[in-house]
Amino acid sequence: MRHEIHDLLAPLPGTARQVHSFHFGPAEAAGKIYIQSSLHADEMPGMLVAWHLKQRLAELEAAGRLRYQIVLVPVANPVGLEQVLMDVPLGRYQLESAQNFNRGFVDLSDEVGNAIDGLLTDDAQHNLELVRRHLADALTRQQPDTQLQSLRLTLQRLACDADMVLDLHCDFEAVAHLYTTPEAWPQVEPLARYIGAQACLLATDSAAWSFDECFSLLWWQLQQRFGEHFSIPTGSFAATVELRGQGDVNHRLARLDCQAMLDYLTRFGAIAAEAPPLPELPFPATPLAGVEPVATPVGGLLVFCVQPGNYLEAGQLVAEIIDPIHDRVTPIHCNNAGLLYARSLRRMATAGMVIAHIAGREAYRSGYLLSP
Ligand SMILES: [Zn+2]
């Protein structure tokens, strides 16, 4: 294992921070896998899984069983991790800029496309290496002005030449679920089965430039631009894996998730071993545009009537919002049928707040598809 330390731009004198990456596998590897956790720095289940992975990958490396290079970043967001305000961790948005840490990664598809225009050939492998080289160069040329940009660039540089990128997150209260693209779904589906993902939400472009999308979308956009005349492979596929809810941090689940990820990497060919048979997929993949964010029009005590993992019929009661002053009880129903995969942790709802998310089968939304 090689331990690398990446300095972030220090916003003030004396406040330097670093990102630590751990590199496993042979120098001449067949490919590269990148796994990070807790980019949203108040989402800890992935960090515990990453820590378990770190021990197991060291054993596998010592036994000579790693075929791929595997890069692990267990603390992907030291900036957000330190944001604890009055005993409450606030790791989703940077306090200084109010920006979501998992949005706004740099889109280099035009720049890379312009650089490779005229250099593509009929050889897909040549084109793959060409794109990767120009992507790495373009990322090297980027000059961050802020610590947040510096963090995003550091992570993007570490992962830009990986065949597979896995970003470990969690929701508030949730069952295991994941986000990926329809194009990547055939490759991600075995992971969904091993993890037991109950909702798999597919979108080519959610318009958010989240970490997973900055890899998938680059190749997709180059394919749109050059694919008619040249063979452009998908150099990276990525998934955001949601390891249940914020409170689901325990060794039992983390060991299961760690084993599921190792089984998936084995099946993918990154680890030399026999992969166990694939379990059933609990619930078919659905479009991200089919997710219903269930919101409450009024504020009050939020009392849920359904649990994460429940399949709801259209019009089913999701929660009651209680105004204890006027004794008003407002029932909140969902419009569409689907699996309730995540719900809020808050129990005092404000008017307009999204209280739960339901994975429906039919796409009905467009434009920006993720939460802010
Ligand atoms: Zn997250």
Tab-separated table of all heavy atoms in Angstrom, residues 103 177-182 199-208 210 212-213 285-293 341 357-371:
chain	number	residue	atom	x	y	z
A	103	ARG	N	-21.429	18.948	-5.949
A	103	ARG	CA	-21.940	19.556	-7.174
A	103	ARG	C	-20.802	20.380	-7.767
A	103	ARG	O	-19.839	20.717	-7.088
A	103	ARG	CB	-23.119	20.507	-6.875
A	103	ARG	CG	-24.285	19.883	-6.131
A	103	ARG	CD	-25.124	18.962	-7.001
A	103	ARG	NE	-26.267	18.435	-6.256
A	103	ARG	CZ	-26.273	17.293	-5.577
A	103	ARG	NH1	-25.194	16.532	-5.541
A	103	ARG	NH2	-27.353	16.903	-4.932
A	177	HIS	N	-29.409	2.252	-1.731
A	177	HIS	CA	-29.811	2.570	-3.101
A	177	HIS	C	-28.619	3.178	-3.820
A	177	HIS	O	-27.583	3.441	-3.201
A	177	HIS	CB	-31.046	3.493	-3.121
A	177	HIS	CG	-30.890	4.813	-2.444
A	177	HIS	ND1	-30.876	4.953	-1.066
A	177	HIS	CD2	-30.746	6.073	-2.933
A	177	HIS	CE1	-30.739	6.233	-0.749
A	177	HIS	NE2	-30.646	6.938	-1.867
A	178	LEU	N	-28.738	3.381	-5.112
A	178	LEU	CA	-27.609	3.978	-5.839
A	178	LEU	C	-28.084	4.781	-7.043
A	178	LEU	O	-29.210	4.640	-7.511
A	178	LEU	CB	-26.571	2.917	-6.237
A	178	LEU	CG	-26.975	1.743	-7.123
A	178	LEU	CD1	-27.021	2.139	-8.587
A	178	LEU	CD2	-25.954	0.605	-6.949
A	179	TYR	N	-27.179	5.631	-7.496
A	179	TYR	CA	-27.402	6.470	-8.672
A	179	TYR	C	-26.330	6.117	-9.710
A	179	TYR	O	-25.148	6.044	-9.386
A	179	TYR	CB	-27.226	7.955	-8.345
A	179	TYR	CG	-28.179	8.502	-7.316
A	179	TYR	CD1	-27.892	8.411	-5.958
A	179	TYR	CD2	-29.362	9.136	-7.690
A	179	TYR	CE1	-28.758	8.920	-5.005
A	179	TYR	CE2	-30.233	9.655	-6.749
A	179	TYR	CZ	-29.924	9.536	-5.404
A	179	TYR	OH	-30.787	10.049	-4.465
A	180	THR	N	-26.757	5.932	-10.960
A	180	THR	CA	-25.784	5.793	-12.036
A	180	THR	C	-26.474	6.165	-13.344
A	180	THR	O	-27.587	6.686	-13.337
A	180	THR	CB	-25.156	4.381	-12.060
A	180	THR	OG1	-24.056	4.362	-12.970
A	180	THR	CG2	-26.153	3.316	-12.477
A	181	THR	N	-25.796	5.917	-14.467
A	181	THR	CA	-26.391	6.274	-15.754
A	181	THR	C	-27.001	5.034	-16.404
A	181	THR	O	-26.569	3.907	-16.113
A	181	THR	CB	-25.324	6.850	-16.703
A	181	THR	OG1	-24.368	5.824	-16.988
A	181	THR	CG2	-24.626	8.044	-16.089
A	182	PRO	N	-27.958	5.206	-17.309
A	182	PRO	CA	-28.496	4.039	-18.029
A	182	PRO	C	-27.397	3.334	-18.818
A	182	PRO	O	-27.411	2.112	-18.950
A	182	PRO	CB	-29.541	4.642	-18.986
A	182	PRO	CG	-29.761	6.041	-18.557
A	182	PRO	CD	-28.598	6.464	-17.719
A	199	ALA	N	-33.311	0.613	-4.534
A	199	ALA	CA	-33.680	1.530	-5.619
A	199	ALA	C	-32.400	1.842	-6.383
A	199	ALA	O	-31.351	2.088	-5.782
A	199	ALA	CB	-34.291	2.810	-5.060
A	200	CYS	N	-32.490	1.787	-7.705
A	200	CYS	CA	-31.352	2.124	-8.566
A	200	CYS	C	-31.864	3.178	-9.530
A	200	CYS	O	-32.752	2.902	-10.337
A	200	CYS	CB	-30.855	0.900	-9.311
A	200	CYS	SG	-30.285	-0.383	-8.185
A	201	LEU	N	-31.347	4.400	-9.403
A	201	LEU	CA	-31.930	5.560	-10.063
A	201	LEU	C	-31.016	5.984	-11.204
A	201	LEU	O	-29.849	6.318	-10.980
A	201	LEU	CB	-32.103	6.676	-9.029
A	201	LEU	CG	-32.886	6.179	-7.797
A	201	LEU	CD1	-32.759	7.138	-6.635
A	201	LEU	CD2	-34.351	5.946	-8.152
A	202	LEU	N	-31.562	5.942	-12.402
A	202	LEU	CA	-30.732	6.124	-13.594
A	202	LEU	C	-31.023	7.453	-14.287
A	202	LEU	O	-32.174	7.806	-14.523
A	202	LEU	CB	-30.992	4.990	-14.601
A	202	LEU	CG	-30.895	3.558	-14.077
A	202	LEU	CD1	-31.048	2.564	-15.224
A	202	LEU	CD2	-29.587	3.313	-13.333
A	203	ALA	N	-29.946	8.188	-14.590
A	203	ALA	CA	-30.051	9.404	-15.409
A	203	ALA	C	-28.714	9.602	-16.101
A	203	ALA	O	-27.662	9.407	-15.479
A	203	ALA	CB	-30.378	10.618	-14.553
A	204	THR	N	-28.747	9.982	-17.362
A	204	THR	CA	-27.497	10.299	-18.048
A	204	THR	C	-26.931	11.594	-17.509
A	204	THR	O	-25.744	11.722	-17.255
A	204	THR	CB	-27.749	10.423	-19.574
A	204	THR	OG1	-28.226	9.155	-20.028
A	204	THR	CG2	-26.474	10.770	-20.320
A	205	ASP	N	-27.811	12.569	-17.306
A	205	ASP	CA	-27.351	13.887	-16.874
A	205	ASP	C	-28.391	14.483	-15.932
A	205	ASP	O	-29.491	14.816	-16.348
A	205	ASP	CB	-27.172	14.782	-18.116
A	205	ASP	CG	-26.623	16.152	-17.751
A	205	ASP	OD1	-26.369	16.403	-16.565
A	205	ASP	OD2	-26.442	16.964	-18.680
A	206	SER	N	-28.043	14.618	-14.658
A	206	SER	CA	-28.985	15.207	-13.706
A	206	SER	C	-28.829	16.719	-13.653
A	206	SER	O	-29.488	17.385	-12.872
A	206	SER	CB	-28.754	14.610	-12.318
A	206	SER	OG	-27.545	15.114	-11.781
A	207	ALA	N	-27.898	17.254	-14.464
A	207	ALA	CA	-27.633	18.695	-14.545
A	207	ALA	C	-26.968	19.246	-13.287
A	207	ALA	O	-27.017	20.443	-13.030
A	207	ALA	CB	-28.907	19.481	-14.879
A	208	ALA	N	-26.363	18.373	-12.483
A	208	ALA	CA	-25.765	18.827	-11.217
A	208	ALA	C	-24.240	18.805	-11.241
A	208	ALA	O	-23.613	19.382	-10.370
A	208	ALA	CB	-26.256	17.948	-10.073
A	210	SER	N	-22.343	16.369	-10.418
A	210	SER	CA	-21.878	15.690	-9.210
A	210	SER	C	-20.597	14.921	-9.537
A	210	SER	O	-20.215	14.798	-10.704
A	210	SER	CB	-22.965	14.741	-8.707
A	210	SER	OG	-23.327	13.852	-9.743
A	212	ASP	N	-19.773	11.694	-9.514
A	212	ASP	CA	-19.898	10.562	-10.443
A	212	ASP	C	-20.119	11.055	-11.873
A	212	ASP	O	-19.559	10.518	-12.827
A	212	ASP	CB	-21.009	9.583	-9.998
A	212	ASP	CG	-22.392	10.214	-9.884
A	212	ASP	OD1	-22.494	11.457	-9.905
A	212	ASP	OD2	-23.370	9.459	-9.766
A	213	GLU	N	-20.905	12.116	-12.016
A	213	GLU	CA	-21.246	12.581	-13.369
A	213	GLU	C	-20.064	13.224	-14.096
A	213	GLU	O	-20.038	13.212	-15.328
A	213	GLU	CB	-22.402	13.580	-13.302
A	213	GLU	CG	-23.726	12.886	-13.080
A	213	GLU	CD	-24.892	13.832	-13.156
A	213	GLU	OE1	-24.706	15.055	-13.011
A	213	GLU	OE2	-26.003	13.342	-13.357
A	285	ALA	N	-34.338	-1.296	-11.697
A	285	ALA	CA	-33.851	0.088	-11.835
A	285	ALA	C	-34.958	0.960	-12.411
A	285	ALA	O	-35.783	0.506	-13.201
A	285	ALA	CB	-32.630	0.119	-12.743
A	286	THR	N	-34.971	2.224	-11.975
A	286	THR	CA	-36.011	3.159	-12.419
A	286	THR	C	-35.341	4.483	-12.811
A	286	THR	O	-34.231	4.771	-12.372
A	286	THR	CB	-37.026	3.427	-11.276
A	286	THR	OG1	-36.308	3.777	-10.103
A	286	THR	CG2	-37.883	2.208	-10.996
A	287	PRO	N	-36.032	5.279	-13.643
A	287	PRO	CA	-35.421	6.560	-14.032
A	287	PRO	C	-35.365	7.542	-12.863
A	287	PRO	O	-36.325	7.630	-12.092
A	287	PRO	CB	-36.355	7.074	-15.138
A	287	PRO	CG	-37.619	6.314	-15.003
A	287	PRO	CD	-37.330	5.036	-14.298
A	288	LEU	N	-34.262	8.275	-12.752
A	288	LEU	CA	-34.166	9.335	-11.737
A	288	LEU	C	-35.290	10.350	-11.957
A	288	LEU	O	-35.816	10.923	-11.008
A	288	LEU	CB	-32.788	9.998	-11.830
A	288	LEU	CG	-32.468	11.102	-10.827
A	288	LEU	CD1	-32.569	10.616	-9.386
A	288	LEU	CD2	-31.082	11.675	-11.090
A	289	ALA	N	-35.670	10.528	-13.224
A	289	ALA	CA	-36.770	11.452	-13.546
A	289	ALA	C	-38.120	10.915	-13.072
A	289	ALA	O	-39.135	11.606	-13.155
A	289	ALA	CB	-36.800	11.729	-15.046
A	290	GLY	N	-38.158	9.687	-12.569
A	290	GLY	CA	-39.394	9.120	-12.027
A	290	GLY	C	-39.474	9.219	-10.518
A	290	GLY	O	-40.452	8.778	-9.914
A	291	VAL	N	-38.432	9.807	-9.895
A	291	VAL	CA	-38.451	9.961	-8.433
A	291	VAL	C	-39.438	11.064	-8.051
A	291	VAL	O	-39.397	12.162	-8.609
A	291	VAL	CB	-37.042	10.308	-7.907
A	291	VAL	CG1	-37.113	10.787	-6.460
A	291	VAL	CG2	-36.128	9.093	-8.015
A	292	GLU	N	-40.311	10.758	-7.103
A	292	GLU	CA	-41.227	11.782	-6.590
A	292	GLU	C	-40.697	12.322	-5.266
A	292	GLU	O	-40.624	11.590	-4.284
A	292	GLU	CB	-42.624	11.194	-6.374
A	292	GLU	CG	-43.598	12.235	-5.819
A	292	GLU	CD	-44.985	11.688	-5.525
A	292	GLU	OE1	-45.301	10.562	-5.950
A	292	GLU	OE2	-45.738	12.400	-4.833
A	293	PRO	N	-40.305	13.613	-5.240
A	293	PRO	CA	-39.984	14.214	-3.944
A	293	PRO	C	-41.303	14.604	-3.279
A	293	PRO	O	-42.017	15.461	-3.788
A	293	PRO	CB	-39.156	15.453	-4.319
A	293	PRO	CG	-39.150	15.532	-5.825
A	293	PRO	CD	-40.171	14.576	-6.347
A	341	TYR	N	-37.613	5.093	-0.715
A	341	TYR	CA	-36.245	4.651	-0.411
A	341	TYR	C	-35.556	5.571	0.596
A	341	TYR	O	-34.546	5.171	1.180
A	341	TYR	CB	-35.404	4.511	-1.689
A	341	TYR	CG	-35.218	5.781	-2.483
A	341	TYR	CD1	-34.140	6.630	-2.222
A	341	TYR	CD2	-36.120	6.148	-3.470
A	341	TYR	CE1	-33.966	7.797	-2.940
A	341	TYR	CE2	-35.954	7.316	-4.193
A	341	TYR	CZ	-34.882	8.139	-3.921
A	341	TYR	OH	-34.716	9.306	-4.628
A	357	HIS	N	-38.616	10.519	-0.465
A	357	HIS	CA	-38.410	10.300	-1.900
A	357	HIS	C	-38.920	8.907	-2.273
A	357	HIS	O	-38.633	7.931	-1.582
A	357	HIS	CB	-36.930	10.418	-2.263
A	357	HIS	CG	-36.441	11.834	-2.304
A	357	HIS	ND1	-35.867	12.453	-1.211
A	357	HIS	CD2	-36.459	12.755	-3.299
A	357	HIS	CE1	-35.549	13.698	-1.536
A	357	HIS	NE2	-35.893	13.911	-2.794
A	358	ILE	N	-39.650	8.873	-3.375
A	358	ILE	CA	-40.250	7.622	-3.836
A	358	ILE	C	-39.757	7.333	-5.252
A	358	ILE	O	-39.833	8.202	-6.131
A	358	ILE	CB	-41.791	7.721	-3.808
A	358	ILE	CG1	-42.237	7.848	-2.350
A	358	ILE	CG2	-42.439	6.528	-4.477
A	358	ILE	CD1	-43.688	8.180	-2.190
A	359	ALA	N	-39.245	6.122	-5.458
A	359	ALA	CA	-38.769	5.723	-6.788
A	359	ALA	C	-39.938	5.161	-7.586
A	359	ALA	O	-40.383	4.040	-7.338
A	359	ALA	CB	-37.666	4.680	-6.666
A	360	GLY	N	-40.471	5.970	-8.495
A	360	GLY	CA	-41.549	5.516	-9.374
A	360	GLY	C	-40.980	4.992	-10.677
A	360	GLY	O	-39.832	5.283	-11.029
A	361	ARG	N	-41.792	4.228	-11.399
A	361	ARG	CA	-41.290	3.589	-12.618
A	361	ARG	C	-41.270	4.511	-13.819
A	361	ARG	O	-40.502	4.313	-14.747
A	361	ARG	CB	-42.167	2.371	-12.961
A	361	ARG	CG	-41.900	1.191	-12.057
A	361	ARG	CD	-42.923	0.087	-12.278
A	361	ARG	NE	-42.949	-0.810	-11.138
A	361	ARG	CZ	-42.216	-1.919	-11.039
A	361	ARG	NH1	-41.433	-2.275	-12.025
A	361	ARG	NH2	-42.291	-2.675	-9.971
A	362	GLU	N	-42.167	5.509	-13.829
A	362	GLU	CA	-42.314	6.343	-15.032
A	362	GLU	C	-41.615	7.690	-14.844
A	362	GLU	O	-41.845	8.373	-13.849
A	362	GLU	CB	-43.805	6.606	-15.320
A	362	GLU	CG	-44.661	5.356	-15.450
A	362	GLU	CD	-44.204	4.452	-16.586
A	362	GLU	OE1	-43.668	4.978	-17.598
A	362	GLU	OE2	-44.356	3.218	-16.456
A	363	ALA	N	-40.807	8.060	-15.840
A	363	ALA	CA	-40.151	9.374	-15.805
A	363	ALA	C	-41.201	10.458	-16.022
A	363	ALA	O	-42.031	10.350	-16.918
A	363	ALA	CB	-39.089	9.448	-16.894
A	364	TYR	N	-41.210	11.478	-15.184
A	364	TYR	CA	-42.160	12.573	-15.393
A	364	TYR	C	-41.535	13.936	-15.107
A	364	TYR	O	-42.144	14.974	-15.331
A	364	TYR	CB	-43.427	12.378	-14.542
A	364	TYR	CG	-43.227	12.645	-13.063
A	364	TYR	CD1	-43.608	13.863	-12.503
A	364	TYR	CD2	-42.657	11.693	-12.237
A	364	TYR	CE1	-43.419	14.119	-11.154
A	364	TYR	CE2	-42.459	11.933	-10.880
A	364	TYR	CZ	-42.836	13.147	-10.347
A	364	TYR	OH	-42.642	13.419	-9.014
A	365	ARG	N	-40.275	13.945	-14.608
A	365	ARG	CA	-39.624	15.228	-14.346
A	365	ARG	C	-38.525	15.453	-15.389
A	365	ARG	O	-38.089	14.522	-16.057
A	365	ARG	CB	-38.970	15.235	-12.958
A	365	ARG	CG	-39.965	15.051	-11.808
A	365	ARG	CD	-39.258	15.171	-10.468
A	365	ARG	NE	-38.186	14.208	-10.336
A	365	ARG	CZ	-37.043	14.431	-9.665
A	365	ARG	NH1	-36.851	15.582	-9.061
A	365	ARG	NH2	-36.117	13.501	-9.585
A	366	SER	N	-38.055	16.704	-15.499
A	366	SER	CA	-36.926	16.979	-16.397
A	366	SER	C	-36.124	18.124	-15.788
A	366	SER	O	-36.534	18.707	-14.782
A	366	SER	CB	-37.421	17.341	-17.788
A	366	SER	OG	-38.244	18.469	-17.713
A	367	GLY	N	-34.994	18.437	-16.405
A	367	GLY	CA	-34.144	19.515	-15.884
A	367	GLY	C	-33.301	19.019	-14.720
A	367	GLY	O	-32.809	17.893	-14.736
A	368	TYR	N	-33.170	19.866	-13.707
A	368	TYR	CA	-32.322	19.540	-12.546
A	368	TYR	C	-33.011	18.467	-11.707
A	368	TYR	O	-34.123	18.668	-11.232
A	368	TYR	CB	-32.086	20.813	-11.740
A	368	TYR	CG	-31.083	20.644	-10.637
A	368	TYR	CD1	-29.730	20.888	-10.862
A	368	TYR	CD2	-31.480	20.234	-9.371
A	368	TYR	CE1	-28.804	20.730	-9.846
A	368	TYR	CE2	-30.560	20.076	-8.360
A	368	TYR	CZ	-29.223	20.326	-8.592
A	368	TYR	OH	-28.303	20.158	-7.589
A	369	LEU	N	-32.347	17.324	-11.519
A	369	LEU	CA	-33.041	16.176	-10.946
A	369	LEU	C	-32.633	15.824	-9.521
A	369	LEU	O	-33.291	15.016	-8.866
A	369	LEU	CB	-32.813	14.940	-11.832
A	369	LEU	CG	-33.433	15.000	-13.230
A	369	LEU	CD1	-33.039	13.773	-14.040
A	369	LEU	CD2	-34.954	15.116	-13.158
A	370	LEU	N	-31.547	16.413	-9.018
A	370	LEU	CA	-31.111	16.054	-7.665
A	370	LEU	C	-31.608	17.085	-6.656
A	370	LEU	O	-32.139	18.130	-7.022
A	370	LEU	CB	-29.587	15.968	-7.616
A	370	LEU	CG	-28.968	14.844	-8.465
A	370	LEU	CD1	-27.454	14.884	-8.373
A	370	LEU	CD2	-29.464	13.476	-8.033
A	371	SER	N	-31.407	16.778	-5.373
A	371	SER	CA	-31.728	17.783	-4.367
A	371	SER	C	-30.682	18.892	-4.448
A	371	SER	O	-29.619	18.687	-5.015
A	371	SER	CB	-31.763	17.127	-2.983
A	371	SER	OG	-30.597	16.386	-2.786
